Amino acid sequence: MRVGVFFHEELRGRDWPIIGNKFAGFPEAMKEAVKLPNVRLYKPKPVSEELLLKVHSPSLLERVKDAWYYHGARLSVGGCVEAAERIMRGEIDAALVFNVAAGHHAGPDSAWGGTYLSCTGPAIVNLREKFGPGRFAILDTDRHHGDGCRAIFMGDRDVLHVCFCDRSLVEDGGTKVDVDVGWSTTDGAYLELVMREFVPRVEEFKPKLIFHFLGHDTCQGDYGDLGLTMQFFPRLVQLVKTCAERVCQGRYLIITGGGYRRDVAEYIFPRIIEILAG
Ligand SMILES: [Zn+2]
Ligand SMILES: [Zn+2]
C-alpha cells in the first residue's frame, strides 16, 4: 500500500485546545516509518474558505476565524481534503492526517470540544465536486459522540456514519449509527464490537473510501479512559485496513482525533503508518 502522511510543523509547539501539544515530538517520532519506500510525507496547505463555506455557516466561520487556533485547524482540514483527493486519484491508497483544532464536534453552525472546523465535510464535498456522486463511510472511534459530523451528514444517505460512543441509536435509514461502548471495556471487546457493528454495515454499504476519526482519548490514563491499552490502536487500524481492502480497494484515510497523551501519540502513529504501508 502507498501511504501519505500529512503533517505540518505548525501543528506542534502549541497547546492546542483539549489535546495540548501532543505532537511536540513529531515528525521525528515517525522518522523511521516515513522512510519506508512506499510512504511519503506531505506538507498540507490551508483549506480554502470557499470550501469551508460549503459546509459551515458564514457566522460560524466568522467566529472561528478570530480564534488563535484557526490556522492550525485550516492546515488540518487542508490535509484531510488533499489526502482524500490523492487517494481517489489513485496516487496513494491510504493516509494518516495529523489534526489539531478540527474534527467531529464541528457542525454546520456550531463547534466545540476542541474541534472547530469539520474535516470530513469539506473532504467529501470536494471529492463529489471533482469525481461526481459517491458513497463514503466515516468510522468514529473517539471516546465522544461525533455530533457535528452527524449534523453535517444527517439526511445524506450516501454517507454511512458509525460512531462508537455512549449511546445506542440507528437513524437516517440505517446510515447513521451510534454504538454504546459502555464506561469501560477491553482491547478485545472493543475490537469485537467494531467487527460486529461496523464491518458488516460498511461491507453492505460499499463506500468509495473509509474515513476514520481516530481518537486515543479512550486510552488508559487519558481524559476519555475506557481501559484500552496503547497496543489497541494499531490493532484497530489493522482490522479496518483489512476491511477497506475487501470493501473499497484499501482506500482508507485516518484523521487523528482526541487524546492528550504525548507518549501514546508517539507510540501509536509510527506503528499505524507501518501497518498501512504493510
Ligand atoms: Zn473525544
Ligand atoms: Zn455517537
Side-chain angles (χ1 to χ4, degrees), residues 145-146 163 165 167 178:
H145 175 57
C163 171
C165 55
R167 64 182 204 179
D178 290 307

Side-chain angles (χ1 to χ4, degrees), residues 43-201:
K43 185 174 176 176
K45 290 180 262 311
V47 65
S48 73
E49 286 184 22
E50 188 192 350
L51 186 54
L52 289 174
L53 284 168
K54 292 177 180 169
V55 173
H56 295 299
S57 68
S59 72
L60 175 78
L61 197 60
E62 281 312 308
R63 295 196 298 275
V64 178
K65 273 167 81 171
D66 287 338
W68 63 268
Y69 46 73
Y70 177 59
H71 190 63
R74 268 182 90 186
L75 288 171
S76 304
V77 180
C80 190
V81 169
E82 183 185 344
E85 194 175 320
R86 286 186 187 275
I87 290 173
M88 289 306 296
R89 286 194 193 289
E91 295 170 13
I92 51 176
D93 303 293
L96 172 65
V97 178
F98 284 82
N99 162 43
V100 299
H104 69 167
H105 296 307
D109 192 42
S110 69
W112 66 286
T115 69
Y116 304 101
L117 294 174
S118 170
C119 294
T120 50
I124 289 175
V125 167
N126 179 61
L127 289 183
R128 286 174 171 162
E129 283 180 355
K130 300 222 161 104
F131 304 99
R135 299 185 123 193
F136 300 96
I138 304 169
L139 167 66
D140 187 330
T141 59
D142 187 277
R143 175 68 182 103
H144 305 98
H145 175 57
D147 55 346
C149 181
R150 177 65 51 89
I152 286 170
F153 293 109
M154 186 57 89
D156 180 349
R157 294 193 177 182
D158 286 328
V159 174
L160 174 70
H161 182 224
V162 182
C163 171
F164 288 74
C165 55
D166 57 2
R167 64 182 204 179
S168 293
L169 188 72
V170 178
E171 56 187 348
D172 208 15
T175 63
K176 308 294 180 287
V177 179
D178 290 307
V179 180
D180 186 357
V181 295
W183 290 104
S184 98
T185 184
T186 62
D187 297 4
Y190 196 121
L191 292 168
E192 266 179 42
L193 208 54
V194 174
M195 281 296 285
R196 199 167 71 227
E197 299 288 346
F198 176 68
V199 172
R201 285 190 168 93

